[in-house]
Amino acid sequence: MHGKTWLLHLLLLMGLGLRSQEELPPPCESQIYCQGDLLHAVQMAKLFPDDKHFVDMPLSMAPDQVLLNFNTLAQANNYNISREQLQEFINNHFKAVGQELEAWTPGDWKDSPQFLQKISDAKLQAWAGELHQLWKKLGKKMKPEVLNHPELFSLIYAEHPFIVPGGRFVEFYYWDSYWVMEGLLLSEMPETVKGMLQNFLNLVKIYGHIPNGGRVYYLQRSQPPLLTLMMDRYVTHTNDTAFLRENIGILDLELKFWAEKRNIQVSSGGTSYLLNRYYVPYGRPRPESYSKDAELAGTLPAGDQEALWAELKAGAESGWDFSSRWLSGGPNLDLLSTIRTSKMVPVDLNAFLCQAEELMSKFYSKLGNDVEAIRYRNLRAQRLTALKAVLWDEKKGAWFDYDLESGKKNPEFYPSNLTPLWAGCYSDPADADKALKYLEDNQILTYKYGIPTSLRKTGQQWDFPNAWAPLQDLVIRGLARSPSPQTQEVAFQLAQNWIRTNFDVYSRKSAMYEKYDISTGGQPGGGGEYEVQEGFGWTNGVVLMLLDRYGDKLTSGAQPALQKPYYVSVTLVLGLLPSLLP
């Protein structure tokens, strides 16, 4: 299209086309933020560089009035509104992004938390102090009008202030918050953690689950279920058993959501097992990525578009949006349009739930409820059996996502394949040492700037060459569970690599990033649907965790040569010898 005229009538016809084959409900009920002609027109006109911008803008008047005025404008111009008129309409009916939030300095923030003294390297200690300062920069609280007039905002009200990831992510997010909370507890900020926990518990009370993030357009999808683990970390730090007792039923309610809404039966060896998957049966494009989803659907037959949008939402629910993990095999295996998230049984999701079941059994025992403690102990035992039967590969020494359609495991490398180690959901102590050989076999130990997210280069952000902080934690702490000194040493070396990458980039750019490109010596990451973001909540949290764990050994100096694979093999064999000898 040329000139300055935006053919709104064409866009509206396109919107009718999208709806004509609709079978699934929309992401939320809002006719502005989740569905409708106004959303379609603005997002397809691409008035903003990032689709998230528009759906994060508060309204300056009641939504019914906004919609009435938009219809009046469209009719007055015979559905042929210029781009300038559309922009003017937005300016007159919406407020700037972020006005409903205000900066917040946590009340329990203090100088010099004790863990800093455990860091021997002076440069790393100073850096950790600067990361501790960042909690004040990432603190947000909601203005009262979000509570009093929720219809004017896409923001979901949260009573207590919280820490955000950073960059374009100015609201709270579910699974990010676990690693943020780990960092906050090291920073001796348990009241901030309690407030964030209470926000999540309130969401479960209202919606039955925790949405992906703090916007109405995220309502129908969740994220990896780490609420029970968050509670465990808080109670372990504070011994606040009263808070646990008050909210144990809400933790149970969240796990019930996953058990009832995200369950799947898998048959293996003549036995049926109950496991879980990511699954979001809601249609239409994701509002925050509307134009991309609509354009991607345009490459498919009309009858396949709703299924595509549901699979994209399921991919977002996984936290890995997007990755070759969810893409189809075949000649076009790297195309996002082949996404089929709900057709996979993910290792990490089932490990997270296994861990939650173990923690719930522990919680109920602590509270004196033996009946519920036994129930959760049995659920964990059933899941352990299912993990072993369906996802574990003894020959390769790792777990693998299971493809429901092909009946086969996905053989590709992903750090998530080792999540059961991190979650403590395995029965053989030697599994951690087998995982070390698995890393060696895939040449993962040759990457000296971090553990790659995959070995596939698709252009998606959860693939090579990006490395993400939470995935480093999954592998490092998983290996560290091994009784073998050699495997523990590799865990330390991986931690050292990640610390140096983060420290070197911070030294050059004075910023922490959500992801890093490890193919070029360690740089801010790329790929996916938006530019790499600064901040960054979970990256800060993981760095603080590693500095706390290994602070007496980590250094800020030049990269050493990593262990040669043959050395790892020798040490692995030596480590296993005692168990092989009579």
Side-chain angles (χ1 to χ4, degrees), residues 305-323:
Q305 293 178 352
E306 281 287 291
L308 168 68
W309 293 326
E311 294 292 359
L312 289 168
K313 292 181 184 70
E317 182 170 78
S318 78
W320 290 53
D321 42 342
F322 294 105
S323 168

Side-chain angles (χ1 to χ4, degrees), residues 124 127 439 443-452 467-469 472 475-476 479 489-505 516-518 521-523 542-543 546-547 550 553-564:
L124 293 182
W127 177 45
L439 294 174
Q443 299 186 325
I444 302 306
L445 303 182
T446 66
Y447 293 96
K448 60 182 181 179
Y449 297 102
I451 302 162
W468 293 78
Q472 313 302 305
V475 175
I476 291 167
L479 293 178
E489 176 61 23
V490 172
F492 164 71
Q493 288 190 11
L494 294 171
Q496 177 69 82
N497 292 346
W498 187 246
I499 287 295
R500 286 210 178 112
T501 294
N502 282 246
F503 177 74
D504 289 348
V505 172
Y516 292 82
D517 180 340
I518 60 166
Q523 301 288 340
V542 169
V543 164
L546 294 176
L547 289 172
Y550 298 116
K553 297 196 293 181
L554 290 167
T555 65
S556 58
Q559 295 274 5
L562 207 68
Q563 282 188 339
K564 298 296 183 184

Side-chain angles (χ1 to χ4, degrees), residues 14-80:
M14 287 173 62
L16 290 170
L18 293 180
R19 292 195 296 276
S20 65
Q21 46 89 42
E22 176 188 333
E23 298 174 358
L24 299 173
C28 81
E29 294 304 313
S30 172
Q31 293 289 326
I32 294 174
Y33 293 120
C34 287
Q35 57 182 304
D37 293 335
L38 174 58
L39 174 68
H40 184 79
V42 173
Q43 298 293 49
M44 297 309 293
K46 300 184 180 179
L47 295 183
F48 305 99
D50 184 346
D51 283 355
K52 190 175 187 298
H53 186 101
F54 171 62
V55 290
D56 287 358
M57 298 177 75
L59 301 176
S60 54
M61 61 189 71
D64 288 349
Q65 188 64 52
V66 173
L67 292 170
L68 179 64
N69 292 355
F70 178 73
N71 290 334
T72 300
L73 177 67
Q75 292 171 11
N77 287 274
N78 196 28
Y79 297 95
N80 187 6

Side-chain angles (χ1 to χ4, degrees), residues 157-195:
Y157 180 71
E159 178 183 357
H160 302 281
F162 47 88
I163 303 296
V164 301
R168 76 197 281 264
F169 304 113
V170 298
E171 54 284 294
F172 58 80
Y173 284 81
Y174 183 5
W175 81 314
D176 293 62
S177 296
Y178 162 67
W179 284 277
V180 168
M181 289 180 185
E182 287 277 19
L184 290 171
L185 290 174
L186 287 171
S187 288
E188 300 171 28
M189 299 168 63
E191 286 305 308
T192 297
V193 171
K194 186 176 185 178

Side-chain angles (χ1 to χ4, degrees), residues 528-547:
E529 300 181 302
Y530 54 84
E531 295 299 315
V532 65
Q533 302 296 300
E534 293 183 16
F536 196 83
W538 65 11
T539 310
N540 305 353
V542 169
V543 164
L544 295 184
M545 291 169 70
L546 294 176
L547 289 172

Side-chain angles (χ1 to χ4, degrees), residues 374-386:
I374 291 170
R375 181 174 75 88
Y376 271 106
R377 195 176 309 133
N378 290 338
L379 286 172
R380 178 182 183 270
Q382 292 167 18
R383 193 179 298 275
L384 268 178
T385 301

